[in-house]
Amino acid sequence: MKFNKDTKIGEIIENAPEKVDVLLEVGMHCVGCPASQAETLEEACAVHGIDVEEVVEALNK
């Protein structure tokens, strides 16, 4: 799966659960929140003050 800023958190959890650790490592502990399921990486990063490009790069490694 290729990730971008429009990828939804729910898609990551469902299709690439091994990548949840990447989200947790950058401080995005919202992966268990029901609201995050429909939130994009860009939206989640904005809420948490995280650079979305860095997260996308880490997810795609």
Side-chain angles (χ1 to χ4, degrees):
M1 178 174 186
K2 180 84 170 148
F3 304 97
N4 62 60
K5 66 181 182 172
D6 296 317
T7 304
K8 295 192 182 331
I9 302 295
E11 292 175 321
I12 297 169
I13 295 168
E14 184 177 326
N15 299 313
E18 71 280 3
K19 297 293 186 174
V20 169
D21 287 343
V22 173
L23 299 177
L24 295 173
E25 287 172 12
V26 298
M28 200 175 297
H29 300 279
C30 61
V31 293
C33 175
S36 74
Q37 299 300 305
E39 196 170 43
T40 66
L41 280 172
E42 185 172 42
E43 293 166 336
C45 286
V47 168
H48 293 283
I50 301 168
D51 183 341
V52 69
E53 294 303 325
E54 289 180 13
V55 176
V56 169
E57 183 179 330
L59 287 169
N60 284 315
K61 281 187 179 177

